[in-house]
Amino acid sequence: MTYDRLVCGNCAAPVSEGRCPVCRANRERLQQGGPLAGLNPAALLALLVVLVAAVALLAV
């Protein structure tokens, strides 16, 4: 999930702006997600289909 659409429950501002300490902490936590954290679900599904197809080709 990306933080650009999240709204902080503490200050009611977008988390991406980082107006309060809670926003900044959550923004940092979300940015440390990992290499696949920025992909949307459709891209992850496409990647999974490609990996399954590659494994199927190797098994034959």
Side-chain angles (χ1 to χ4, degrees):
M1 173 179 248
T2 59
Y3 62 91
D4 58 341
R5 295 186 182 176
L6 294 177
V7 176
C8 178
N10 192 41
C11 68
V15 172
S16 60
E17 293 179 7
R19 292 184 185 179
C20 72
V22 175
C23 291
R24 288 188 290 274
N26 283 321
R27 184 177 59 189
E28 292 296 322
R29 183 181 57 84
L30 288 169
Q31 286 177 344
Q32 295 175 357
L36 298 178
L39 294 177
N40 62 11
L44 287 174
L45 183 62
L47 180 61
L48 179 65
V49 168
V50 169
L51 289 175
V52 168
V55 168
L57 287 175
L58 289 174
V60 171

